[in-house]
Amino acid sequence: MKKTLRLALGAFFSLIALGASAQTTIWEEDWQSSEAGKLVNEVTNANAVYTLSSSNENPYTKLWVNANDESNLELLLPKKDRNESWTAEINLNGKSGNLTLSYSYNKNQITVTSETTGVTVSDVSKDGALISVPSGTQKLKLTFSNPMSQNARLDNIKLVTGGSAQEYQEVANIAELKALESGSKAKLTFTDVQVNFASGSDMYVQDATGAIDIYNCGLSYTAGQKLNGTAVVEYKVYNGMPEITSVINNELTATSGTATPSEPSIEDINSDLLCHLIKVTGKVYIENNEETGYTNYFLEDDDANSVQFYRKWSSLDGTDLSGLTDGATATVTGIVVLLNNTPAIGVTNIEYEGGEDIETVANIAALKAKAPTSKVRLTLTNAVVTFVNGKDMFVTDDSGSIDFYNCSLGYTAGTVLNGTIDVTEYKVYNKLPEITKVTENQLETSEGTATPQEVAVTAVTDDMACAYVKVSGTVRTEVVTITPSTGDPYERTNYYLKDESNNEVPFYRKWSKLEGTDISVLSDDDTATITGIVVFTDGNAAIGVTAFEYESTNIENVTAENEANGPIYNLAGQRVEKTVKGIYIQNGKKFIVK
C-alpha cells in the first residue's frame, strides 16, 4: 500500500524548462584570483563589482582557507548577529530572462535578494536560486547574507542564462509530508501549526495531524506562535527522527498563541508521538552506569511502565536533573525524541518533590570525609572564595578548602558565602577534592577579602589541598628532560622554594594566561614569596602560582654593548625600548641600570 502511495505522489512532480538556448555563463567567482584575509570588497572580478555592508570596525566577510584544502579559498559569511552582507553588481552584457544562480554553501539557509528594478529572486536554497531579469536590464545587483546563528562559507558561485522552476508536490499537512520518502521536497501548507518548543537549531511544530522538527533552518519563530501559509520544504528522517531540513519560498505568517502539551500516560508514549510536546507525572528512579559514568533517569507509573527522560538542552533553565533522588514525584514536560532508538523525553521543564532525604554536612571538612560521589547538602559559614580562574573556584571555610570545579556559580574572589548548597557530585581528582555538580543554591553572599595563609614550606602538604597560601623561601630550579609517549623529548624547568633547612615545595604556573605568574624570570638563589593554591604535580603537593614577588641575586651592570645583544624586558615580562633606572632581563639574565 505504501509503494502505491509513493508512485501516485511522484506523479505530481514535473520540471518546466524556462529557455531553450544553451547556457551562457554571465558571472562566476571562486575567489582563487585573490588571497586569504582579503575583505570581499577588495576582491576584483572582470564582470562584477563587490561592496560590503557592515557597521563593524573589523568586518568578517573575508576570504579564508578551506580547512580540508589549503589551496582553496572560501568567503566567510558571518552569523546573523554581525549584521553584515555583501552585494555583487554584475554586468549582464545584454542577457536577461530566467537565469540560474548556483553556489557551494555549507549551511542550510542563505539570504539572496536584489534591489534591481523588476528583478525577482525565487527558490533560494543552500544550492542556488532562480533569478528573473526584465529585458533591457544592464546591471544586476545581488545581495548575500547569512540568517543563521553560525558562520558559513560560500564558494563556486555561477550565474548562467536559462533556468528551470520545479513545481513541487503540494501536501496539505505534516502527516502527508511524513508519508513521503526521506529526502523529498514539497510545498507544505501550514494550517494553525503550533510552535511547541524552540531551542538552538531545533524548532518543534505540530498541527492537527502530527509533529515534526524544523531543524537548523534559521527561522526565528518562538514557542506558542501559530503558523499559517505555505513554504517549500525538504523532508528527511535522521536517526529515526522526522525533520524539515530546508525551508524556501517562505510565505508564512505568525500569530500569538500558547504551546500546550498533551498529557499521555507513560504506557502510551511511543514512536507515534515523536516531536510532540507532552507532560507526564510519575515516580523517579535513577540508574548509575558505572561503565559509562552516565546517570540515567526514568519516570515510572504504578504499573511499572517507564520512560527515560534526559537533559537534551543542557543550557535551558528549569531542566537541571542533578537534584533528583530515587522515589521523588516528578512532572516532566518535554519533546518526545529517540534515545538509543527508544522513545524518550527531552526535558523542557521539570517539577518535583519528595524522594530520599538528603544528608546535611556542617562544613567543607565534613564533606571531604564522605565517600566520593556522595550527595549532600553542604552548609557554608563565612566561607571565602579565595581564587577564581576558568573552571576553578576555590573556597575556604574554618574547616578546610575545596575546588568548585565547572559549577558556573559566578562568584568572584573575596566573596563571602553563607547558607546551603546541594552537592550532587563530589570527587577527588588527582588527589584534589572537587565539587563538580551542584543544585538548590541557597547561599547568600557578602563582600570580603581573599587573604592567603602565610605558612612555612613544610606546611604545604596533602592536607592543605585547595588552600590559598603565601610561602617565602629561596628558589631552586631544575631542568629535566621529558620523554612523552608520542612526539619528541623536550626540556622542562621545574621550580622549587626551599627554606633554611633545605626543605622544599614545588611551584608552577598552573594558570598559564594569568597575568603576573610568569615564573620564568626566576633564577637559582633568588629570594621569592609565592602566593597561590595548594594543588598537586607529579603526585606531590605544590603551589599553583597566582602571584609572586622576588629579589634577584643574579644582577649585573649593563653596558651599551650588552643592550645590543637582544631584546630587553622589565620584571613584568614587557618588552622595553629604552631603559631607565631599575632591574631588567636580557638574554635570560637580569641586570640593573643605575
Side-chain angles (χ1 to χ4, degrees), residues 202 204 213 310-315 319 335 337 345-347:
D202 294 299
Y204 294 90
D213 183 12
Y310 71 109
R311 197 178 189 188
K312 178 174 172 65
W313 297 279
S314 58
S315 61
T319 62
I335 301 294
V337 293
I345 305 174
V347 180

Side-chain angles (χ1 to χ4, degrees), residues 282-347:
K283 294 289 185 182
V284 174
Y285 79 86
I286 300 173
E287 178 182 87
N288 292 308
N289 190 321
E290 294 182 359
E291 292 184 2
T292 63
Y294 291 124
T295 300
N296 299 324
Y297 298 88
F298 298 85
L299 209 58
E300 190 176 70
D301 63 17
D302 293 337
D303 296 322
N305 298 302
S306 66
V307 61
Q308 188 170 355
F309 60 96
Y310 71 109
R311 197 178 189 188
K312 178 174 172 65
W313 297 279
S314 58
S315 61
L316 186 64
D317 289 341
T319 62
D320 185 3
L321 309 181
S322 59
L324 286 172
T325 56
D326 279 316
T329 299
T331 298
V332 176
T333 303
I335 301 294
V336 180
V337 293
L338 287 176
L339 183 63
N340 299 323
N341 297 316
T342 302
I345 305 174
V347 180

Side-chain angles (χ1 to χ4, degrees), residues 541-572:
I543 305 173
V545 180
T546 62
F548 72 97
E549 301 172 351
Y550 75 103
E551 293 183 5
S552 177
T553 57
N554 182 23
I555 299 177
E556 301 171 355
N557 288 329
V558 68
T559 66
E561 182 180 356
N562 288 65
E563 289 191 19
N565 291 336
I568 301 172
Y569 301 88
N570 61 26
L571 294 183

Side-chain angles (χ1 to χ4, degrees), residues 24-28 90 92 99-102 129 131 140 142 157-161:
T24 300
T25 299
I26 301 172
W27 166 59
E28 59 184 331
I90 305 154
L92 292 176
L99 312 179
T100 298
L101 177 70
S102 63
I131 315 293
L140 168 66
L142 293 178
I157 308 171
K158 183 176 287 190
L159 181 67
V160 299
T161 57

Side-chain angles (χ1 to χ4, degrees), residues 227-453:
L227 308 179
N228 285 277
T230 62
V232 173
V233 302
E234 183 173 7
Y235 165 66
K236 288 184 179 180
V237 178
Y238 179 74
N239 287 344
M241 290 292 293
E243 296 179 346
I244 291 172
T245 55
S246 178
V247 176
I248 62 174
N249 298 350
N250 181 352
E251 298 180 357
L252 298 175
T253 60
T255 56
S256 60
T258 303
T260 304
S262 61
E263 298 187 27
S265 66
I266 291 176
E267 182 181 10
D268 290 337
I269 297 174
N270 55 45
S271 296
D272 293 337
L273 290 178
L274 288 178
C275 297
H276 283 249
L277 178 67
I278 66 170
K279 183 178 182 180
V280 189
T281 299
K283 294 289 185 182
V284 174
Y285 79 86
I286 300 173
E287 178 182 87
N288 292 308
N289 190 321
E290 294 182 359
E291 292 184 2
T292 63
Y294 291 124
T295 300
N296 299 324
Y297 298 88
F298 298 85
L299 209 58
E300 190 176 70
D301 63 17
D302 293 337
D303 296 322
N305 298 302
S306 66
V307 61
Q308 188 170 355
F309 60 96
Y310 71 109
R311 197 178 189 188
K312 178 174 172 65
W313 297 279
S314 58
S315 61
L316 186 64
D317 289 341
T319 62
D320 185 3
L321 309 181
S322 59
L324 286 172
T325 56
D326 279 316
T329 299
T331 298
V332 176
T333 303
I335 301 294
V336 180
V337 293
L338 287 176
L339 183 63
N340 299 323
N341 297 316
T342 302
I345 305 174
V347 180
T348 61
N349 187 67
I350 185 168
E351 299 174 353
Y352 59 92
E353 60 183 19
E356 296 176 351
D357 292 334
I358 188 167
E359 179 185 358
T360 299
V361 293
N363 50 41
I364 291 174
L367 171 63
K368 290 160 68 173
K370 307 295 292 183
T373 72
S374 294
K375 297 180 180 180
V376 297
R377 179 162 294 151
L378 171 63
T379 300
L380 292 178
T381 304
N382 293 329
V384 178
V385 179
T386 56
F387 177 70
V388 179
N389 190 278
K391 296 179 179 181
D392 295 300
M393 185 183 84
F394 294 93
V395 175
T396 296
D397 66 10
D398 287 342
S399 71
S401 305
I402 201 163
D403 184 11
F404 281 77
Y405 181 78
N406 202 25
C407 291
S408 303
L409 292 176
Y411 303 130
T412 55
T415 302
V416 179
L417 307 176
N418 283 279
T420 63
I421 187 167
D422 287 1
V423 176
T424 56
E425 189 172 74
Y426 160 64
K427 293 181 178 179
V428 177
Y429 180 75
N430 287 345
K431 299 179 73 172
L432 202 69
E434 298 179 342
I435 293 170
T436 51
K437 288 183 181 178
V438 295
T439 186
E440 296 298 321
N441 184 356
Q442 302 296 322
L443 295 173
E444 295 182 356
T445 65
S446 58
E447 294 183 1
T449 304
T451 304
Q453 303 177 58

Side-chain angles (χ1 to χ4, degrees), residues 6 13 126-127 166 168-169 176-187 212 232-238 241-246:
R6 286 174 179 168
F13 285 89
K126 64 180 181 180
D127 302 310
Q166 185 169 343
Y168 298 99
Q169 175 185 352
E176 287 189 13
L177 178 67
K178 289 161 68 175
L180 302 180
E181 291 186 355
S182 178
S184 298
K185 291 184 178 181
K187 186 176 183 179
I212 199 166
V232 173
V233 302
E234 183 173 7
Y235 165 66
K236 288 184 179 180
V237 178
Y238 179 74
M241 290 292 293
E243 296 179 346
I244 291 172
T245 55
S246 178

